[in-house]
């Protein structure tokens, strides 16, 4: 279709950011052309600081110069502003509510617990490990026998919300002994299916890159 | 009238689990604004009922909306669900950019504003508390800037999503301020936001689901110690 048509979209992002990756995946799934700006998080651009003065974070979406912030809000915006593209959220209000609830859960729990795991020195602290294993099992329960979290609607909002964190799974095992393949095998299989999609494989960090990144960070923090 | 209330062919019962919480209020006000009749199942936070645990096994918190055999937890998810599942005046604006802004500022209220207010309220008096109070007032200023010029509510002429999300600032903050002996929101510093708070609190529909504040104060006062501990942990 109009692959090169300019629809006025600019994504300020850092390829490191799982939240930014969500937006890249969504834009790819919707076939939306956009200008991509890779931000140096150590030296943030004026545009970023002006667009997101409160949090000063990526991702930021600009649409004809107007700002949209927060990855899940950006995903919903893309659905609403571009109704002729592949929808990310289902149409049924209850299914939408469930997708929103679980995406919020991913933000609070997967990101929340995962970030805490980084800061743990030496041998893994048992409670954080147990918590992460529990979180993964809960998500697996929500997935059930579905191919994707989007169910009948296919790869969608919740899949996109979670998939950037799926490449952290190998690191959970390497650094903290939370083996996703053992703890939540259906979730591991789901992650593998997602990686077969070009929108995902091109935009998420590979498991190796994530491991390297975490290793570096832990060294910097004097944890290793 | 039944047809007008629900988009579903039949009219399954709507129930709300919860009591005396700013989050429950959000769900109630959304239902009332849409004209959806519902039954409030008052849950006791100290003894979480089997019903609550069955319907919100993940977070074990109120409110939980029960609509027929559907259960929806998380107050803002409930508000969006109510907006989408029932007819009635829209709670979110129509324009996608305005919707994104409303959702962003609602998250700001929960993620940043309330955290700033909380630590400013419950930190021991002293230099640190003064700095926290300044920071909290800055966050209030950011929220105040979202009020449309010359309009009564964040939603414009009618109560909308952001008004509902910020309702705790209008209804509960004065109670906490009284308990803590701290003033954060005042006419001198935030005249527009105070005007909004009075408008919101005085609204006929809001008043129908606002708990009696004397009862609220009595209910919350014993928790002062707990609030101070959580504030300490948050500020750390």
């Amino acid at each position: 279709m109009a692959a090169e048509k300019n629809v006025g979209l600019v994504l300020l992002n850092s390829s490191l950011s799982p939240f930014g990756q969500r937006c890249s995946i969504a834009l790819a799934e919707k076939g939306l052309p956009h200008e991509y700006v890779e931000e140096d998080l150590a030296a943030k651009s004026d545009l970023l600081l002006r667009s997101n003065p409160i949090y000063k974070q990526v991702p930021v979406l600009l649409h004809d110069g107007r700002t949209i912030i927060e990855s899940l809000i950006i995903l919903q915006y893309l659905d609403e502003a571009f109704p002729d593209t592949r929808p990310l959220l289902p149409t049924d209000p209850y299914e939408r509510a469930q997708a929103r609830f679980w995406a919020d859960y991913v933000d609070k729990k997967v990101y929340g617990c995962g970030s805490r795991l980084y800061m743990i020195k030496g041998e893994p602290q048992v409670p954080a490990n147990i918590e992460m294993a529990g979180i993964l099992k809960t998500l697996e329960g929500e997935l059930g026998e579905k191919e994707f979290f989007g169910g009948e609607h296919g790869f969608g909002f919740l899949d996109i919300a979670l998939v950037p964190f799926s490449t952290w799974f190998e690191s959970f095992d390497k650094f903290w002994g939370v083996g996703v393949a053992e703890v939540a095998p259906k979730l591991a299989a789901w992650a593998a299916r997602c990686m077969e999609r070009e929108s995902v494989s091109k935009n998420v960090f590979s498991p190796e890159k994530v491991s390297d990144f975490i290793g570096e960070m832990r060294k910097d923090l004097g944890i290793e | 009238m039944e047809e007008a209330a629900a988009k579903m062919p039949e009219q399954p019962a709507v129930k709300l689990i919860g009591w005396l919480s700013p989050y429950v209020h959000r769900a109630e006000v959304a239902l009332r604004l849409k004209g959806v009749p519902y039954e409030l199942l008052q849950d006791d936070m100290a003894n979480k009922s089997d019903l609550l645990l069955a319907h919100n096994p993940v977070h074990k918190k109120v409110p939980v909306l029960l609509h027929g055999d559907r259960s929806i937890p998380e107050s803002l998810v409930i508000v969006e669900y109510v907006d989408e599942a029932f007819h009635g005046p829209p709670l979110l604006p129509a324009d996608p950019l305005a919707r994104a802004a409303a959702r962003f500022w609602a998250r700001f209220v929960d993620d940043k504003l309330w955290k700033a207010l909380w630590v400013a309220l419950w930190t021991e008096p002293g230099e640190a508390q003064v700095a926290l109070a300044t920071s909290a007032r800055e966050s209030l200023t950011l929220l105040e800037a979202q009020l449309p010029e010359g309009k009564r509510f964040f939603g414009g002429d009618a109560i909308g999503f952001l008004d509902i999300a910020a309702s705790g600032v209008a209804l509960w903050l004065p109670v906490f301020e009284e308990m803590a002996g701290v003033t954060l929101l005042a006419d001198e510093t935030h005249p527009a936001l105070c005007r909004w708070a009075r408008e919101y609190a005085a609204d006929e529909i809001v008043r129908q689901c606002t708990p009696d504040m004397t009862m609220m104060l009595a209910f919350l006062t014993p928790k002062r110690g707990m609030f101070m501990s959580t504030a300490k942990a948050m500020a750390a």
Side-chain angles (χ1 to χ4, degrees), chain A residues 54-55 66 68-70 73 76-77 80-81 92-94 96-97 100-102 104-105 107-109, chain B residues 56 58-59 70-74 77 80-81 84-85 96-97 99-100 103-105 107-108 111-112 142:
Chain A
I54 298 176
Y55 297 108
R66 319 269 287 284
I68 303 101
I69 308 167
E70 299 281 314
I73 294 176
Q76 292 184 81
Y77 176 78
E80 290 167 358
D92 175 70
Y94 184 49
R96 292 161 70 85
R100 288 177 177 131
F101 171 81
W102 286 105
D104 177 64
Y105 178 87
D107 273 358
K108 287 194 175 102
K109 297 289 193 177
Chain B
N56 191 0
V58 173
H59 296 306
R70 305 167 161 187
S71 38
I72 301 116
E74 291 293 302
V77 175
E80 287 219 48
Y81 173 78
E84 292 174 353
L97 203 64
R99 292 165 77 88
R103 287 175 178 136
F104 172 78
W105 287 103
R107 277 193 72 149
F108 171 82
D111 293 349
K112 197 149 169 152
L142 287 169

Side-chain angles (χ1 to χ4, degrees), chain A residues 118-132:
Chain A
Y118 287 164
M119 304 304 165
I120 291 169
K121 295 182 189 271
E123 284 304 305
Q125 296 284 331
V126 171
N129 275 15
I130 291 177
E131 195 187 339
M132 183 52 84

Side-chain angles (χ1 to χ4, degrees), chain A residues 97, chain B residues 16 23 26-28 30-31 63-65 72-83:
Chain B
L16 187 69
Y23 301 103
R26 287 171 168 177
E28 285 202 82
L31 288 163
V64 181
L65 184 74
I72 301 116
E74 291 293 302
S75 60
L76 294 180
V77 175
I78 291 172
V79 174
E80 287 219 48
Y81 173 78
V82 168
D83 203 23

Side-chain angles (χ1 to χ4, degrees), chain A residues 28-41:
Chain A
E29 287 284 327
K30 285 176 166 295
L32 284 168
H34 59 283
E35 187 191 332
Y36 180 93
V37 176
E38 176 77 17
E39 287 280 339
D40 176 359
L41 296 181

Side-chain angles (χ1 to χ4, degrees), chain A residues 124-181:
Chain A
Q125 296 284 331
V126 171
N129 275 15
I130 291 177
E131 195 187 339
M132 183 52 84
I135 289 165
L136 295 172
K137 280 208 191 73
T138 300
L139 284 166
E140 188 181 59
E142 176 55 23
L143 179 67
E145 300 304 320
K146 301 196 291 277
E147 188 188 4
F148 295 112
F149 284 95
E152 280 168 20
H153 301 274
F155 182 81
F157 186 77
L158 181 52
D159 300 279
I160 297 176
L162 181 59
V163 81
F165 297 101
S166 68
T167 51
W168 290 15
F169 289 172
E170 257 186 46
S171 301
F172 291 162
D173 199 356
K174 178 177 173 188
F175 291 101
W176 305 295
V178 183
V180 180

